[in-house]
Amino acid sequence: MSIIESISEYMLALLPKIGGVAIALILGLIFGKLIGKAIAVILNRFGVDKAISGSSLGKTLAEANLTLSSLIGALVRWFIYLVALLAAVDILQVTAFSNFLTMVVEYIPFLILGLLIIGLGFLFADFISKAIVNSLKDAGLPHTKIVGFLVRFFVYLIVVLTALSVMKIDVTILNTFASAMAWGLAIGIALTIGLALGLGLKDAIARNAESLLKSIGLVTSKLSEEITTKELESEIKRLESELNALKEEKKRELEQKKARLEALSKPVENVEEFLNKIVGSTGRITRFYGGYEIEILDPISFPWCDVMLTMQNMGYDVWLSKKDNVYYVTCKPRAE
């Protein structure tokens, strides 16, 4: 086989691959431009560029004749270009270059995410610092610009460290440096405030120490008087409540006694049945000369009052006697 034939066969075998590469690149170019432009237009219409125009990020982009929407659109466009180029290299089966492009394409989303974090974080830092500065100005405090700068700086630092971590960049050294710097700055601010307060208020406290002590004494005495008065009022209310409860209890007892006396004063149709009912097992009832004799079996539980009052009201003479250490209640009809 001649050299010309070998080259011809190689070119014929390569033609389909070249066609595939051309199609991949053309499609990537078309879709990259269209999608990148569409994203830039959408972001612009949503007012992203206007929202950041007054921030430090917006000013930085304006100095470079860029907008955030155009920057994001360009990143998306070039990402699609790289994907198309990776497809073309895969068609040509160039392994080394294909592996390199694969690494680049896989890294680009992390790069875009990190840049988005930086952009949004810087916007947040500007917003927070302005809000704090305005609040301090409204409160009439000095050095608001310094406070705003420090707040913005710390938020910037946190945002950058976060974005670098997302972009797979080792930030261990930066974290150590940032931590040390933050602690140093915090200690410095604390010492400054402490010295300012100590030196500025020392003379005022010395001049007004006596009046302060008097004021504290007056407040303490008033508080103790108020506490004592409240305790007395509480105790009086408690006693009044207990007294009212006792009155109610006594009233109920009197009403019960009155009702019982009224019940005992009512006439009884069957005297013997009534006696058996109220005496029960505390005594033994027998007929005795037209009346009744009750042998007391349980002097403690015997209803003395009920028996005597009822029998007296029923027209009986009642007396008590004792025989052989046994008590007897004798009831005889009263002679008319």
Side-chain angles (χ1 to χ4, degrees):
M1 182 182 293
S2 64
I3 296 175
I4 296 175
E5 290 177 350
S6 299
I7 294 173
S8 299
E9 289 179 0
Y10 178 75
M11 293 298 295
L12 289 173
L14 194 62
L15 281 176
K17 294 182 179 180
I18 293 174
V21 169
I23 292 172
L25 292 176
I26 291 170
L27 290 176
L29 183 65
I30 294 172
F31 282 107
K33 285 185 177 181
L34 290 176
I35 295 175
K37 183 66 174 177
I39 289 176
V41 171
I42 291 171
L43 291 175
N44 187 29
R45 288 187 178 179
F46 271 102
V48 174
D49 295 331
K50 290 182 180 179
I52 67 166
S53 59
S55 65
S56 57
L57 178 62
K59 293 177 182 178
T60 303
L61 291 174
E63 291 176 357
N65 293 324
L66 291 173
T67 60
L68 183 60
S69 59
S70 64
L71 179 61
I72 295 174
L75 289 173
V76 173
R77 183 173 69 252
W78 280 101
F79 177 72
I80 296 174
Y81 288 169
L82 286 174
V83 172
L85 183 59
L86 176 61
V89 172
D90 284 338
I91 292 172
L92 293 175
Q93 296 180 351
V94 183
T95 306
F97 193 41
S98 176
N99 292 336
F100 171 73
L101 286 178
T102 301
M103 292 174 59
V104 173
V105 171
E106 289 178 351
Y107 178 73
I108 285 178
F110 297 104
L111 177 63
I112 294 175
L113 182 58
L115 293 175
L116 285 175
I117 290 174
I118 290 175
L120 296 176
F122 280 15
L123 289 176
F124 178 73
D126 292 339
F127 172 76
I128 288 295
S129 63
K130 287 180 181 178
I132 292 175
V133 168
N134 292 332
S135 299
L136 294 176
K137 285 182 178 179
D138 293 339
L141 297 176
H143 310 300
T144 56
K145 291 184 178 180
I146 297 175
V147 175
F149 169 76
L150 292 175
V151 171
R152 187 183 297 109
F153 173 77
F154 274 111
V155 178
Y156 281 172
L157 184 62
I158 294 170
V159 168
V160 170
L161 291 176
T162 304
L164 292 177
S165 298
V166 170
M167 289 189 284
K168 306 296 183 181
I169 298 174
D170 189 8
V171 292
T172 304
I173 297 176
L174 291 177
N175 279 328
T176 304
F177 169 74
S179 178
M181 185 171 60
W183 276 106
L185 188 58
I187 293 171
I189 293 173
L191 289 174
T192 302
I193 294 173
L195 289 173
L197 290 175
L199 295 175
L201 297 177
K202 180 181 67 176
D203 296 335
I205 291 174
R207 288 194 303 267
N208 299 306
E210 186 177 356
S211 61
L212 285 172
L213 290 175
K214 288 182 179 179
S215 300
I216 292 171
L218 289 173
V219 171
T220 305
S221 62
K222 287 182 179 180
L223 286 175
S224 61
E225 290 176 0
E226 290 180 359
I227 292 171
T228 304
T229 304
K230 289 180 179 179
E231 290 178 351
L232 289 174
E233 290 177 353
S234 177
E235 185 66 19
I236 290 171
K237 289 181 180 179
R238 186 184 66 80
L239 292 174
E240 287 179 350
S241 177
E242 291 182 359
L243 182 60
N244 291 330
L246 287 173
K247 287 181 178 179
E248 291 294 328
E249 185 178 355
K250 292 296 182 182
K251 184 178 179 181
R252 286 194 298 270
E253 289 180 358
L254 290 174
E255 290 177 353
Q256 290 174 357
K257 289 179 179 179
K258 184 178 179 181
R260 186 178 177 186
L261 287 173
E262 290 178 354
L264 294 175
S265 301
K266 292 180 180 180
V268 178
E269 295 181 359
N270 192 330
V271 177
E272 186 173 352
E273 182 180 350
F274 173 76
L275 287 175
N276 284 319
K277 182 178 179 181
I278 63 173
V279 171
S281 61
T282 62
R284 185 183 296 111
I285 303 170
T286 57
R287 287 278 186 173
F288 184 77
Y289 295 109
Y292 303 94
E293 185 179 64
I294 306 172
E295 181 183 356
I296 309 302
L297 302 177
D298 185 0
I300 302 300
S301 303
F302 185 79
W304 299 94
C305 182
D306 293 356
V307 171
M308 291 186 175
L309 287 176
T310 302
M311 299 307 290
Q312 284 284 341
N313 291 328
M314 291 294 295
Y316 286 81
D317 290 327
V318 182
W319 65 88
L320 177 66
S321 60
K322 184 178 181 182
K323 299 176 185 178
D324 298 329
N325 292 325
V326 177
Y327 291 98
Y328 292 88
V329 174
T330 304
C331 306
K332 287 185 178 181
R334 189 177 298 118
E336 296 182 359

